[in-house]
Amino acid sequence: MPTIDVIIELSPAACLAHYEGRVGVVHTRSLDGRSVQFPAEALRRVVTRDGVHGVFRLYVSPEGRFEGIRRLSAPPDSR
C-alpha cells in the first residue's frame, strides 16, 4: 500500500472546524514537498486537546484514495 508522510499543524480551533464539517478536506504538504489533501474525518483518529501536530503517515490505495493515518512523531516540544 502506498504511503505519503506529511506534516500537520492544526490548532484546536482548526480541528473543530474540520470536526463540525465546516471544512471537509485537509490540505497539507508531504515531506518531499508535494501538495496533499485528504478527508478531514481522518483527523478524528489523531486529534488531541492541543489540536493535531506532528509528522503522520497517510496510507493510500493504488488509485490514490485515502485509507488510513498513523502518527510517526510528535513535535519536538511535546510533553
Side-chain angles (χ1 to χ4, degrees):
M1 176 180 313
T3 62
I4 303 169
D5 294 344
V6 297
I7 298 171
I8 303 175
E9 295 294 333
L10 293 173
S11 69
C15 290
L16 183 60
H18 287 89
Y19 185 81
E20 291 177 338
R22 291 182 280 137
V23 179
V25 177
V26 176
H27 296 272
T28 190
R29 292 257 175 217
S30 68
L31 294 181
D32 62 7
R34 293 178 284 169
S35 178
V36 177
Q37 63 182 28
F38 60 93
E41 69 183 37
L43 295 177
R44 293 179 182 174
R45 301 173 196 164
V46 296
V47 69
T48 69
R49 68 172 188 230
D50 297 323
V52 180
H53 304 278
V55 178
F56 296 83
R57 179 159 291 154
L58 303 179
Y59 295 89
V60 296
S61 71
E63 296 78 28
R65 296 184 60 91
F66 174 82
E67 293 196 349
I69 187 171
R70 181 173 64 93
R71 180 185 302 274
L72 295 180
S73 67
D77 62 342
S78 69
R79 296 176 193 150

